[in-house]
Amino acid sequence: MVDTAERAAEQSRTSTPVVDAAEHEAAAAAAATAPAGAAPHVDVEALGRQLLGTWAEVRLASRELSSRPELQKVEGLSVADHRKRVFEQLKLLVDHGQVHRAFPKAVGGLEDHGGNIAAFEELVAADPSLQIKSGVQWGLFGAAVLHLGTEYHHTTYLPGIMSLDVPGAFAMTETGHGSDVAAIATTATYDPESREFVLDTPFRGAWKDYLGNAAVDATAAVVFAQLVTKGVNHGVHAFYVPIRDANGDFLPGIGGEDDGQKGGLNGIDNGRLHFTGVRIPRTDLLNRYGDVAEDGTYSSPIASPGRRFFTMLGTLVQGRVSLDGSATIAAKLGLKIALTYGDQRRQFTAGSDTDEEVVLDYQRHQRRLLPLLATTYAASFAHEMFLHKFDDVFSGKTDTDADRQDLETIAAALKPLSTWHALETLQEAREACGGAGFLTENRITSLRQDLDIWVTFEGDNNVLLQLVAKRLLTDYSRKFAKADAGALARYVVVQAAGKAYHGSGLRSVAQTVRDFGSTARSVNWLQESATQRELLTDRVATMIAEIGGRLRPASKLGKKAAADLFNSQQNELIEAARAHAELLQWEAFTEALEQAPDAGTKQVLTWLRDLFGFGLIEKHLAWYLIHGRLSPQRAQAVSAYIDRLLTRIRPHAVDLVDAFGYGPELVRAKIASGAEAERQAEARAYYAARRADGTLPTPEKAPSKHR
Amino acid sequence: MVDTAERAAEQSRTSTPVVDAAEHEAAAAAAATAPAGAAPHVDVEALGRQLLGTWAEVRLASRELSSRPELQKVEGLSVADHRKRVFEQLKLLVDHGQVHRAFPKAVGGLEDHGGNIAAFEELVAADPSLQIKSGVQWGLFGAAVLHLGTEYHHTTYLPGIMSLDVPGAFAMTETGHGSDVAAIATTATYDPESREFVLDTPFRGAWKDYLGNAAVDATAAVVFAQLVTKGVNHGVHAFYVPIRDANGDFLPGIGGEDDGQKGGLNGIDNGRLHFTGVRIPRTDLLNRYGDVAEDGTYSSPIASPGRRFFTMLGTLVQGRVSLDGSATIAAKLGLKIALTYGDQRRQFTAGSDTDEEVVLDYQRHQRRLLPLLATTYAASFAHEMFLHKFDDVFSGKTDTDADRQDLETIAAALKPLSTWHALETLQEAREACGGAGFLTENRITSLRQDLDIWVTFEGDNNVLLQLVAKRLLTDYSRKFAKADAGALARYVVVQAAGKAYHGSGLRSVAQTVRDFGSTARSVNWLQESATQRELLTDRVATMIAEIGGRLRPASKLGKKAAADLFNSQQNELIEAARAHAELLQWEAFTEALEQAPDAGTKQVLTWLRDLFGFGLIEKHLAWYLIHGRLSPQRAQAVSAYIDRLLTRIRPHAVDLVDAFGYGPELVRAKIASGAEAERQAEARAYYAARRADGTLPTPEKAPSKHR
């Protein structure tokens, strides 16, 4: 590791001259909050322990597994060979006892839900295909039997699932229905004569599709279908269905197709399944939330079909939890590569006749990568909070309806942000490494290709954010439920009056600025946690209130007109949900500051949190201006603060990615191995020697008139 | 094709209720500009002809070639097999006379520079590897011999290059130097005794790297090296160097490595080359811009080494021209797939009990894809302008120094925007197609993986934009060169005074709003071309003036401090360059409106241009607010206008992608083949029949207390 104190001192010596008033103020403010004297130092090891969180040992054990060559991705394999390799790797996971954590003690599990997810997430560093295929087997297929089935299914099926004797598919999505699971068209019709369910996919769109394990390996599947008995459709239920015989041939009535090559994750055999009059015993309905008696009578512990459906789906939330965590790990790997390389690579002389500039010293390079680093820290801390919430619910520690709803809302909020963030980060890392970033040996493109589908599976990101928005709207309406009927309307009118009904709008904005723009307040104002929180919270609340007001007439409209009104607000709704999710991340980051191991590390993390917070405010700056929350002068200071933070964080960039704890055996990128540093040293030594012995040819002199 | 008039009428019937004052104004304004009576109709064929542009016939012929299976990408090949296939495809291009257009008539060419680029660009639809490998052979290796060599080299080498008898590499980039070509470390030292140049790569960072053709196929290369004679380094020059013998073995002193698998473009054999005391005849210096006499005396028609270097590099601008065009074609293919699918795919019932909504009718789906469609049109029209400029210069029609400089600035401005746009568009198209978008059979991921490196090669996008910014700064300074020394400073002070030095900033902003916010002016104001132009132009000019002002002290600073000052403005500089490039695209789109084939098509194109223009203004809304160019009220209206435009353009979305002219033989995506429409029709017919004959099971009723 490079001496960061020296680097910080160097950085401070060469900091940019103050060039305007706003910058000047920002510099003064920043200097005021920095500890007097020496630049802060990051305790990489201690910060690393903080990042590992509650399930540190499980994570470290899983990383140890992920660092074994036999579990790692081999690039350039054919689709068939990659699939074979990953299937064999799943067996190694079984051998290592990696996959049993979440299962009941009665069948040899540990009933450790949080630890199970933590271990699973870390496998992404070995091969995302291995991770996701193990997720299909144990996190989807196995978890559906566990959470939707009852004791008979647990004792009968879980042992074979856990041992991989029965590889299985999770047959929910259909070609025609991905996001709208309630509308799937596969049916399971109860036949009281034979006491069997009969499964059918009545048309092409009803084929199950994109199912991991389905193309080759699965011998069974949990199939989601509309349960029909006595002429009534009781909605989507899950069924345990054998699909292939010992030779790997489809059982009668079952057929399928291979989804073929994909944009990534080619170690997984995704495929399609269809069913024509396939009969299974009545008892293979996974009957925890709904059952059919021998005579065909349907019963359920949950009376409302809607609530029953969401309860069943809610048991499968762990997929979103683990994608949130593993996407963040992928972002960490990308930044570890790009920032290590950026700290060694040099290009162009600028401030010297001989030495080229280190690429990461360029402002643009910092602007491209350091905000992504800040967001990665925010996502990492938010994930730890999320995983605790998940563990609390699934361990039964705090498992009320409200807890489950909160968990699902957090899942629907964080999974979109972290998975999009991973793609953005890997792409920026790729570009920041130039041509070297494009070589598969440097890993970034491979990770990005595999992670691409993260934004779609386990809930399309846009659809999930819309769920979050609906929850926010519901909560908002509830606030006004006990007030008289006109309260919401009046509230919204008051909200709106301030912004758009007076003349040019400017005067009224000035009035609603409160005293945010007052010069009497310190320029440190924006750096206070309370200010950032107020700005971020206010935006979510105001957006939801505004949308709520606009949707108010919907109750008086017909179905079609109401749908159109809702649709006219869809984009804004999704933006509000994103703002809510960003606030969750910001709160988690801010809370984590209190756990920082020492003052120096805390100082650097606080700068990073500020960079994250200011980044959010800068991204939505127009909103803050339009709504009078920031004066134009303050707004302009936001970007100046960000520039200042970049130069403060830059000397610690390598420490901050080293704290992620991924060593060369997990990073596996040649350009992050120190090879670039060696090349730079060799080149500089060569020129220094030739300058010293006078053998460097002199450059051609420009003719004087051109000089 | 669906009846668009009917669709437009439907859309208009179901348009969203006006929900606030800003929307109301926007709706009124939009209605005012729409032709009375029927919705406009797009003449797809005529618009297609307009998009084909000047080199329509060449493009159509190249598309015909690209539609032949033997020239198309086969997915899932190993790297070795893909490379072999593409090399064989290059021979087919030779057989079809596809590659000779740009070469001199004396050696069998057509001297048709614009047509050559147009034909080349269209090959991206067959296989980007084929396109880029042919670009390496004829556009880089061949073009370097053509533009940097003289008659001896043309007659000696071009025939073998054109016929592919001599496959070659373009050996410019080194592992240590990509963006900073002037700093490459490979040397070519003249030895007057033997009348030879001696080539050396003195250390690992000096190895040539990422060179197409270098790993396997190339038997020769144009090698860029520092020309040293009589102890003086005359800077970078190009040399023709045989590298492999007839058996494919490296010649003495030459070695190399395979770059191996890449994130895409795996039909090209990129590799590394190094040279140790490799001797070539004096006459194999490509000596158009610099020569060495037998006695070692250097001479050049261009006295300034700097200008000489940029002139040599400038002859190779065609790479950037063709990447701009082919990236835009890739974006067109992505949108053709995603919008065709989005117009057929249905998901969730909202406004009906039975019919699911067409995905593209969702506001969010429109927000995701239609602005990208608008930008693609802008990029397409801007490219046509750019290609004309290129053809004018290279045909000699208008080939002054100023023309060459303008051409290079346009190239450096447009190539970054269109290549980033292609990646953004392909990613959004991928996500908009959900899981289907991830399957290789639907093509989007494959295109995106191949296009990834477009943002890096032929000039890293960020580096290119910085070149644009420097040109803008130079032009800006020139304006003030004849004024007295303080004019610029005073100008900048006046600029700055308006925005940040008075109290809270709000009052002074109100003063600088001019009358933009006045309610006396029509709400149509933003829809006027002149307004959009003024806003976009003003932003570029103001940003450059502000940066110019901040950089003013640099002349009085030392080298290091000046470099630091410049670095402190780097991000803003690059943003200013992007604003300039966006303006170029907007101007090209606006100019193209005058060529629209009829009033209806022109109306729809005008909406699309407005969507592009408003999109730019929305993206930079904070800037316009901070600088007092838009009042908060106006600023809020921008987003409302965009929502309105989306509903107006939506009925024409399919027509607008059909006009790109890429049929199924070029699109080659199953989901854009009509398969989704068939599946939807089958499902809807199935349910309709079961409803009609009473065999559809009734849904379980919710218990009354939950209803």
Side-chain angles (χ1 to χ4, degrees):
Chain A
M1 207 173 314
V2 184
D3 182 337
T4 53
E6 186 182 301
R7 207 157 46 190
E10 164 73 13
Q11 192 72 22
S12 129
R13 272 200 308 280
T14 63
S15 67
T16 55
V18 173
V19 289
D20 70 14
E23 279 242 327
H24 185 76
E25 285 181 321
T33 61
H41 173 81
V42 172
D43 185 334
V44 172
E45 202 191 321
L47 176 57
R49 279 194 303 274
Q50 183 184 358
L51 286 165
L52 277 167
T54 300
W55 290 273
E57 281 178 42
V58 173
R59 288 193 188 277
L60 290 172
S62 190
R63 288 186 196 177
E64 195 282 314
L65 266 186
S66 295
S67 67
R68 299 187 190 188
E70 67 269 27
L71 283 169
Q72 297 184 333
K73 184 171 183 180
V74 171
E75 302 289 351
L77 292 182
S78 68
V79 168
D81 289 346
H82 192 186
R83 287 175 172 184
K84 275 184 210 146
R85 178 177 172 86
V86 169
F87 187 67
E88 293 305 314
Q89 288 171 333
L90 287 198
K91 295 182 188 166
L92 296 177
L93 293 184
V94 174
D95 295 345
H96 286 291
Q98 172 80 355
V99 300
H100 294 175
R101 280 194 188 81
F103 290 103
K105 289 180 179 165
V107 293
L110 299 174
E111 298 182 8
D112 173 8
H113 296 277
N116 176 61
I117 297 297
F120 171 68
E121 288 168 0
E122 297 288 340
L123 292 178
V124 74
D127 181 350
S129 285
L130 167 63
Q131 188 213 359
I132 297 303
K133 183 148 170 144
S134 80
V136 168
Q137 175 67 15
W138 296 294
L140 289 172
F141 174 55
V145 171
L146 172 62
H147 294 302
L148 302 179
T150 50
E151 200 188 340
Y152 163 73
H153 309 105
H154 296 175
T155 53
T156 312
Y157 297 124
L158 286 184
I161 293 171
M162 290 161 71
S163 69
L164 199 64
D165 288 342
V166 182
F170 179 80
M172 179 186 272
T173 296
E174 298 176 353
T175 305
H177 288 96
S179 296
D180 186 6
V181 173
I184 57 169
T186 298
T187 53
T189 308
Y190 184 66
D191 175 2
E193 308 250 327
S194 63
R195 296 174 189 167
E196 289 171 325
F197 286 101
V198 187
L199 272 73
D200 282 290
T201 40
F203 43 79
R204 176 62 187 81
W207 286 21
K208 298 296 175 182
D209 207 345
Y210 315 114
L211 319 176
N213 280 346
V216 178
D217 295 327
T219 59
V222 168
V223 178
F224 289 80
Q226 305 286 348
L227 188 161
V228 176
T229 180
K230 294 186 170 180
V232 174
N233 180 349
H234 292 277
V236 175
H237 288 66
F239 302 82
Y240 187 92
V241 185
I243 62 167
R244 283 191 175 89
D245 63 20
N247 299 324
D249 295 321
F250 279 124
L251 295 172
I254 299 176
E257 277 180 3
D258 194 324
D259 276 326
Q261 193 186 343
K262 304 184 297 295
L265 289 186
N266 278 306
I268 307 172
D269 54 320
N270 293 77
R272 304 174 181 123
L273 295 175
H274 56 81
F275 305 90
T276 309
V278 173
R279 289 178 169 268
I280 58 166
R282 182 186 66 93
T283 49
D284 280 344
L285 164 65
L286 299 176
N287 62 345
R288 179 167 169 197
Y289 294 108
D291 204 359
V292 171
E294 290 191 357
D295 71 348
T297 305
Y298 180 83
S299 64
S300 167
I302 303 176
S304 156
R307 212 181 125 228
R308 187 191 311 141
F309 173 71
F310 286 110
T311 301
M312 290 169 68
L313 257 61
T315 64
L316 303 167
V317 72
Q318 65 181 16
R320 292 173 192 169
V321 185
S322 60
L323 293 188
D324 180 57
S326 51
T328 304
I329 292 170
K332 288 177 180 175
L333 292 170
L335 287 171
K336 165 82 179 171
I337 295 167
L339 286 167
T340 302
Y341 183 66
D343 187 59
Q344 295 174 356
R345 174 84 173 172
R346 290 168 177 270
Q347 201 79 182
F348 290 105
T349 54
S352 153
D353 288 326
T354 51
D355 286 350
E356 293 170 296
E357 301 296 315
V358 172
V359 168
L360 191 53
D361 287 335
Y362 287 108
Q363 185 192 47
R364 178 71 166 188
H365 215 75
Q366 295 166 10
R367 259 271 178 185
R368 292 164 72 184
L369 294 174
L370 298 185
L372 297 172
L373 179 64
T375 304
T376 301
Y377 265 81
S380 187
F381 291 127
H383 178 67
E384 182 74 5
M385 171 276 290
F386 180 18
L387 189 51
H388 273 273
K389 181 83 193 165
F390 168 77
D391 190 63
D392 287 349
V393 167
F394 277 71
S395 70
K397 210 163 127 189
T398 55
D399 183 12
T400 65
D401 269 9
D403 286 314
R404 294 233 166 203
Q405 275 184 37
D406 284 349
L407 174 61
E408 277 163 45
T409 305
I410 294 170
L414 293 184
K415 180 266 184 182
L417 264 62
S418 56
T419 54
W420 272 326
H421 172 67
L423 294 190
E424 185 190 354
T425 300
L426 290 167
Q427 183 63 28
E428 199 63 58
R430 202 302 280 152
E431 295 179 27
C433 294
F438 195 53
L439 302 187
T440 305
E441 68 179 30
N442 291 321
R443 196 134 187 243
I444 305 172
T445 53
S446 170
L447 269 176
R448 197 194 174 286
Q449 289 170 16
D450 286 334
L451 268 285
D452 185 0
I453 197 66
W454 253 245
V455 304
T456 300
F457 64 9
E458 294 284 339
D460 175 87
N461 282 2
N462 281 292
V463 175
L464 290 179
L465 287 179
Q466 194 167 311
L467 291 180
V468 174
K470 284 181 178 171
R471 170 74 189 274
L472 294 173
L473 275 176
T474 306
D475 287 358
Y476 172 77
S477 307
R478 214 171 274 159
K479 269 195 201 168
F480 291 92
K482 286 168 194 166
D484 77 285
L488 170 61
R490 279 199 303 274
Y491 176 79
V492 174
V493 167
V494 170
Q495 288 275 317
K499 71 180 170 59
Y501 293 123
H502 299 287
S504 71
L506 279 173
R507 201 182 43 175
S508 57
V509 168
Q511 287 162 352
T512 60
V513 166
R514 309 183 210 165
D515 58 349
F516 285 12
S518 157
T519 45
R521 294 185 70 156
S522 161
V523 73
N524 281 331
W525 175 76
L526 262 171
Q527 288 178 314
E528 286 167 23
S529 288
T531 307
Q532 292 178 40
R533 177 179 290 119
E534 184 178 353
L535 287 170
L536 296 173
T537 306
D538 177 45
R539 180 159 177 266
V540 181
T542 305
M543 287 178 91
I544 291 294
E546 287 179 356
I547 298 166
R550 288 189 216 117
L551 292 179
R552 188 85 183 150
S555 57
K556 294 167 212 144
L557 298 174
K559 189 176 177 114
K560 172 70 182 151
D564 286 341
L565 176 58
F566 191 85
N567 192 36
S568 76
Q569 301 300 313
Q570 190 190 29
N571 191 62
E572 187 78 358
L573 265 171
I574 289 173
E575 291 306 316
R578 185 197 291 268
H580 172 73
E582 289 166 348
L583 175 61
L584 286 181
Q585 292 182 324
W586 183 91
E587 290 285 4
F589 200 157
T590 300
E591 206 167 301
L593 294 179
E594 298 311 311
Q595 318 301 323
D598 60 84
T601 306
K602 184 175 179 176
Q603 174 62 76
V604 175
L605 282 184
T606 304
W607 288 335
L608 203 62
R609 193 281 318 264
D610 287 349
L611 181 58
F612 178 64
F614 291 173
L616 295 177
I617 293 164
E618 188 186 51
K619 189 168 69 160
H620 307 302
L621 206 53
W623 189 93
Y624 289 105
L625 285 157
I626 288 173
H627 289 77
R629 269 42 169 199
L630 289 176
S631 69
Q633 191 183 19
R634 285 263 188 244
Q636 201 158 29
V638 170
S639 298
Y641 285 150
I642 287 176
D643 288 343
R644 179 64 44 182
L645 285 167
L646 294 177
T647 63
R648 298 198 153 261
I649 294 167
R650 187 266 172 266
H652 308 284
V654 170
D655 283 349
L656 289 168
V657 292
D658 285 348
F660 294 147
Y662 295 99
E665 72 290 357
L666 288 162
V667 172
R668 288 181 288 128
K670 283 197 185 175
I671 45 168
S673 68
E676 182 64 23
E678 273 171 43
R679 282 194 294 263
Q680 294 290 343
E682 185 193 4
R684 297 172 85 192
Y686 171 85
Y687 286 119
R690 296 204 64 186
R691 263 184 227 108
D693 69 12
T695 56
L696 198 66
T698 51
E700 177 186 338
K701 286 193 175 43
S704 55
K705 63 169 179 166
H706 286 278
R707 298 194 83 183
Chain B
M1 207 174 316
V2 186
D3 182 337
T4 54
E6 186 183 300
R7 207 159 46 194
E10 165 73 12
Q11 192 73 20
S12 129
R13 271 200 307 279
T14 63
S15 68
T16 56
V18 172
V19 289
D20 70 14
E23 280 242 328
H24 184 77
E25 285 182 321
T33 60
H41 174 82
V42 172
D43 185 334
V44 172
E45 201 192 321
L47 176 56
R49 279 194 303 273
Q50 184 184 357
L51 286 165
L52 276 167
T54 300
W55 290 274
E57 279 176 44
V58 173
R59 289 192 187 277
L60 290 172
S62 190
R63 288 185 195 176
E64 195 283 315
L65 266 186
S66 295
S67 68
R68 299 187 189 187
E70 66 269 25
L71 285 169
Q72 296 183 335
K73 184 173 183 179
V74 170
E75 302 289 350
L77 292 182
S78 68
V79 168
D81 288 347
H82 192 186
R83 287 174 172 184
K84 274 184 211 146
R85 178 177 171 86
V86 169
F87 187 67
E88 292 305 312
Q89 288 172 334
L90 287 198
K91 295 182 189 165
L92 296 177
L93 293 184
V94 174
D95 294 345
H96 287 291
Q98 172 79 355
V99 299
H100 294 174
R101 278 194 190 81
F103 290 103
K105 288 179 181 166
V107 292
L110 298 173
E111 297 181 10
D112 173 8
H113 297 275
N116 177 60
I117 296 296
F120 171 68
E121 289 168 357
E122 297 288 340
L123 291 178
V124 75
D127 181 349
S129 286
L130 167 63
Q131 188 213 357
I132 297 302
K133 183 148 170 142
S134 80
V136 168
Q137 175 67 15
W138 296 295
L140 290 172
F141 174 56
V145 172
L146 173 62
H147 295 302
L148 302 179
T150 49
E151 199 188 341
Y152 163 74
H153 309 105
H154 296 173
T155 53
T156 311
Y157 298 123
L158 285 183
I161 293 171
M162 290 161 71
S163 68
L164 199 63
D165 289 342
V166 182
F170 179 81
M172 178 186 273
T173 295
E174 297 176 355
T175 305
H177 288 96
S179 295
D180 187 5
V181 173
I184 57 170
T186 298
T187 53
T189 309
Y190 185 66
D191 174 2
E193 309 250 326
S194 64
R195 295 175 190 167
E196 289 171 322
F197 285 101
V198 188
L199 271 73
D200 281 290
T201 41
F203 44 78
R204 175 61 186 82
W207 288 19
K208 298 295 175 182
D209 207 345
Y210 316 112
L211 319 176
N213 281 343
V216 179
D217 295 326
T219 59
V222 168
V223 178
F224 290 79
Q226 306 286 348
L227 189 162
V228 177
T229 179
K230 294 185 169 179
V232 174
N233 180 350
H234 293 277
V236 177
H237 288 67
F239 302 83
Y240 187 92
V241 185
I243 63 167
R244 283 189 175 91
D245 64 20
N247 299 323
D249 297 321
F250 279 125
L251 295 172
I254 299 177
E257 277 180 3
D258 194 324
D259 277 325
Q261 195 186 342
K262 304 184 297 294
L265 289 186
N266 278 305
I268 306 173
D269 54 318
N270 293 79
R272 305 173 181 123
L273 294 175
H274 55 82
F275 305 91
T276 310
V278 173
R279 290 180 167 266
I280 58 166
R282 182 186 65 94
T283 49
D284 279 344
L285 163 64
L286 299 176
N287 62 343
R288 180 166 167 197
Y289 294 108
D291 205 359
V292 172
E294 289 190 358
D295 70 349
T297 306
Y298 180 83
S299 64
S300 168
I302 304 177
S304 157
R307 211 179 126 228
R308 187 191 312 140
F309 173 71
F310 286 109
T311 302
M312 288 169 69
L313 258 60
T315 63
L316 304 167
V317 71
Q318 65 182 17
R320 292 172 191 168
V321 185
S322 60
L323 292 188
D324 180 59
S326 51
T328 305
I329 292 171
K332 289 176 179 176
L333 291 169
L335 288 171
K336 165 81 178 172
I337 295 168
L339 286 168
T340 301
Y341 183 65
D343 187 59
Q344 296 174 355
R345 174 84 172 171
R346 289 168 179 269
Q347 201 80 179
F348 290 106
T349 53
S352 152
D353 289 323
T354 51
D355 287 349
E356 293 170 298
E357 300 295 314
V358 172
V359 168
L360 190 53
D361 288 335
Y362 287 109
Q363 186 192 45
R364 179 70 164 188
H365 215 75
Q366 294 166 11
R367 258 272 178 184
R368 292 164 72 185
L369 293 174
L370 298 184
L372 296 172
L373 179 64
T375 305
T376 302
Y377 266 82
S380 187
F381 291 128
H383 177 67
E384 181 73 8
M385 170 277 288
F386 181 17
L387 189 51
H388 272 273
K389 181 83 192 168
F390 168 77
D391 190 63
D392 287 350
V393 167
F394 277 71
S395 70
K397 210 163 126 190
T398 54
D399 182 12
T400 65
D401 270 7
D403 287 314
R404 294 233 166 203
Q405 275 183 37
D406 285 347
L407 174 62
E408 277 162 45
T409 305
I410 295 170
L414 293 183
K415 181 265 185 184
L417 265 63
S418 57
T419 54
W420 272 326
H421 172 67
L423 294 189
E424 184 190 357
T425 300
L426 290 166
Q427 184 63 27
E428 198 64 59
R430 202 301 280 151
E431 296 180 27
C433 294
F438 195 52
L439 303 187
T440 305
E441 68 179 31
N442 291 322
R443 196 136 188 239
I444 304 171
T445 53
S446 170
L447 270 175
R448 197 195 172 288
Q449 289 169 16
D450 287 333
L451 269 283
D452 185 0
I453 197 65
W454 253 245
V455 304
T456 301
F457 64 9
E458 295 284 340
D460 174 89
N461 283 1
N462 281 293
V463 176
L464 290 179
L465 286 179
Q466 194 167 312
L467 291 180
V468 174
K470 285 182 177 168
R471 170 74 189 273
L472 292 173
L473 275 175
T474 307
D475 286 358
Y476 172 77
S477 307
R478 212 170 276 156
K479 268 194 199 167
F480 291 92
K482 286 169 192 163
D484 76 286
L488 171 60
R490 279 197 303 275
Y491 176 79
V492 173
V493 167
V494 170
Q495 287 276 316
K499 72 180 166 61
Y501 293 122
H502 299 287
S504 72
L506 279 174
R507 202 183 45 176
S508 58
V509 169
Q511 289 163 351
T512 59
V513 166
R514 308 183 211 166
D515 58 348
F516 285 13
S518 156
T519 46
R521 292 186 72 158
S522 161
V523 74
N524 281 330
W525 174 76
L526 263 171
Q527 289 178 313
E528 285 167 23
S529 288
T531 307
Q532 292 176 42
R533 177 179 290 119
E534 185 177 353
L535 286 170
L536 296 172
T537 307
D538 178 44
R539 181 160 176 264
V540 181
T542 305
M543 288 178 89
I544 290 294
E546 288 180 355
I547 298 166
R550 291 189 214 116
L551 292 179
R552 187 83 185 154
S555 58
K556 293 166 211 144
L557 299 173
K559 188 175 177 115
K560 173 70 182 153
D564 286 340
L565 177 58
F566 191 83
N567 192 36
S568 76
Q569 302 301 312
Q570 190 191 28
N571 192 62
E572 187 77 358
L573 265 172
I574 289 173
E575 291 306 316
R578 185 198 290 269
H580 172 73
E582 289 165 347
L583 176 61
L584 286 182
Q585 291 182 324
W586 184 91
E587 289 286 4
F589 201 157
T590 301
E591 204 166 302
L593 295 179
E594 298 311 311
Q595 318 301 322
D598 60 82
T601 305
K602 183 174 180 177
Q603 174 63 75
V604 175
L605 282 183
T606 304
W607 288 334
L608 203 63
R609 193 283 316 266
D610 287 349
L611 180 59
F612 178 64
F614 291 173
L616 295 176
I617 292 164
E618 188 187 51
K619 188 167 70 161
H620 307 302
L621 206 53
W623 189 94
Y624 288 106
L625 284 157
I626 288 173
H627 288 77
R629 269 41 170 200
L630 289 176
S631 69
Q633 191 183 20
R634 285 263 188 243
Q636 202 159 30
V638 169
S639 299
Y641 285 149
I642 287 176
D643 289 343
R644 179 65 43 182
L645 284 168
L646 295 176
T647 63
R648 298 196 154 264
I649 293 166
R650 187 266 172 267
H652 309 285
V654 171
D655 283 349
L656 289 168
V657 292
D658 286 349
F660 293 149
Y662 294 100
E665 72 290 354
L666 290 161
V667 172
R668 289 180 289 129
K670 281 196 185 176
I671 46 167
S673 67
E676 183 63 22
E678 272 171 42
R679 282 195 293 264
Q680 294 290 344
E682 185 192 3
R684 298 173 85 195
Y686 170 84
Y687 286 119
R690 296 203 65 186
R691 262 183 228 110
D693 68 14
T695 57
L696 198 66
T698 51
E700 176 187 341
K701 287 193 174 42
S704 55
K705 65 168 178 168
H706 285 277
R707 298 194 82 183

